Amino acid sequence: MINIDRFLADEQDPKAVEKVAGKLNDLLTSGEEILYLAVQKKPAVNILPDCIAISNKRIFYCSPSNLGLTMNFKDISWKNIKEVSFKEGLLGSKFICVPQSGENIVTDFIPKVQVRKLHQAANQQLEEYKEMLRQQKLEENRASASSFTVPAPVIDLPIEEAIVIPEVIQPEISKEDEVEQKLIKLKGLYDKQLITREEYEHKKAAILDSM
């Protein structure tokens, strides 16, 4: 149940506040509360004033109809509001709501004290909503960053452990192959006339004897 006493401190019309508050009780959702309520004060006849209520989730526009027998309600949530402002005049002030799309919603003849508090409450809720979106965006970015695969840490090892050079295993050479290689080299020396015939025959015989 809405406590209307706290909405009568700025000379709001008690009858209008009581009528609107009773209807708003049925419109509030879970966790929603009315933060401020302003009542229109027309310069001439003010029998059926419009009201604006600020909750932590939206702005309510309340307009009497059928000679005050019924009440029309229109609301706009903070996600659909771009900004709020007001203009003070000689016969009252205008409260202006700028939606994300569509025409501005203008309510005139709001007393100066009420329009200032109305703007303050609405602007605070709008800033809190924008901050909530910013925090959600940061959380989404953190979640996206943490989903990437983290590379395994590089472990510094001593050089002798980090770099292992495999030992080159030389193929085994048979005794016959070794003798053959020596004879080929010896023959090459002789063909190039680097050794004499006698030296060639002598070394050849020595190699063959080593088998």
Side-chain angles (χ1 to χ4, degrees):
M1 186 69 178
I2 298 176
N3 181 12
I4 66 172
D5 292 339
R6 62 193 183 102
F7 300 129
L8 301 176
D10 300 316
E11 299 181 359
Q12 290 96 332
D13 185 332
K15 291 182 179 180
V17 171
E18 184 178 3
K19 184 176 293 186
V20 169
K23 300 291 184 179
L24 285 174
N25 272 322
D26 299 330
L27 300 177
L28 298 181
T29 60
S30 177
E32 186 175 16
E33 62 175 328
I34 300 299
L35 305 175
Y36 192 74
L37 196 153
V39 181
Q40 194 179 48
K41 190 173 184 179
K42 299 176 183 179
V45 180
N46 196 49
I47 299 176
L48 301 173
D50 292 347
C51 300
I52 302 176
I54 301 295
S55 83
N56 55 328
K57 295 185 178 182
R58 48 188 163 165
I59 298 178
F60 289 96
Y61 291 90
C62 319
S63 302
S65 61
N66 298 323
L67 300 177
L69 298 177
T70 59
M71 185 76 68
N72 295 328
F73 289 90
K74 179 174 65 175
D75 66 273
I76 179 170
S77 62
W78 298 117
K79 69 177 181 179
N80 294 321
I81 298 175
K82 185 176 182 181
E83 62 181 6
V84 293
S85 62
F86 68 94
K87 290 183 179 180
E88 295 183 352
L90 296 176
L91 300 177
S93 305
K94 294 181 179 180
F95 179 75
I96 305 166
C97 174
V98 181
Q100 295 288 354
S101 60
E103 298 181 354
N104 295 352
I105 304 171
V106 181
T107 306
D108 53 9
F109 302 122
I110 303 293
K112 291 182 180 179
V113 175
Q114 295 181 40
V115 81
R116 291 174 183 175
K117 291 187 177 181
L118 190 67
H119 174 263
Q120 182 181 22
N123 200 51
Q124 180 177 347
Q125 292 303 309
L126 189 58
E127 290 301 319
E128 289 181 4
Y129 177 76
K130 291 178 179 178
E131 177 63 19
M132 181 190 70
L133 291 182
R134 192 181 73 86
Q135 293 297 331
Q136 288 180 350
K137 187 66 175 177
L138 289 175
E139 290 298 328
E140 290 174 1
N141 291 340
R142 292 192 189 102
S144 298
S146 63
S147 65
F148 291 121
T149 303
V150 180
V154 178
I155 302 175
D156 293 331
L157 296 174
I159 295 178
E160 61 272 13
E161 295 183 17
I163 302 175
V164 178
I165 301 176
E167 181 181 356
V168 178
I169 301 176
Q170 297 291 343
E172 294 184 3
I173 302 176
S174 63
K175 190 68 174 177
E176 291 80 3
D177 292 337
E178 183 179 355
V179 171
E180 183 180 356
Q181 291 295 328
K182 289 181 179 180
L183 291 175
I184 292 174
K185 290 181 180 181
L186 182 62
K187 184 67 167 56
L189 293 175
Y190 176 71
D191 292 339
K192 294 177 182 179
Q193 297 182 353
L194 296 176
I195 58 176
T196 63
R197 178 72 180 181
E198 289 77 9
E199 290 175 328
Y200 170 71
E201 292 296 341
H202 176 73
K203 291 184 179 292
K204 178 180 177 182
I207 292 172
L208 291 174
D209 290 340
S210 66
M211 291 183 63

